[in-house]
Amino acid sequence: MKTRIHARLEQLKGIRTNIELSNSDHVEKSSYIQMVDMNIEALTDIVTLVDAVNNNESKKVEDWFKRFKV
């Protein structure tokens, strides 16, 4: 699963670059880039968390989850 997440993250980064370079009038670029950036951020978070779990970095995992406490 981790390999697919890494592959999708790299794919999204490439898509973002292609959007910025394209001359298409069919897509409102800023909104599309914002959506792609949100997905890149989410996948980066997942990769960071999975890596911390796999490396037994309990403090990093704990800090990651603390972000969601109110």
Side-chain angles (χ1 to χ4, degrees):
M1 180 168 152
K2 183 178 172 185
T3 303
R4 290 189 317 213
I5 292 172
H6 279 285
R8 182 64 179 149
L9 179 57
E10 292 308 311
Q11 182 184 28
L12 282 171
K13 289 177 180 178
I15 288 170
R16 188 187 194 290
T17 300
N18 290 340
I19 294 166
E20 287 181 319
L21 299 175
S22 74
N23 292 327
S24 175
D25 293 330
H26 301 289
V27 175
E28 202 275 300
K29 281 187 184 182
S30 64
S31 294
Y32 194 49
I33 288 174
Q34 186 177 20
M35 187 254 335
V36 171
D37 283 345
M38 185 181 71
N39 282 287
I40 288 172
E41 186 176 340
L43 287 179
T44 301
D45 260 3
I46 291 169
V47 167
T48 301
L49 181 60
V50 168
D51 286 345
V53 168
N54 286 336
N55 293 327
N56 293 319
E57 298 176 33
S58 58
K59 177 69 174 137
K60 225 179 204 181
V61 174
E62 181 182 326
D63 290 344
W64 191 89
F65 280 104
K66 279 182 182 177
R67 298 182 317 160
F68 302 103
K69 288 187 178 180
V70 177

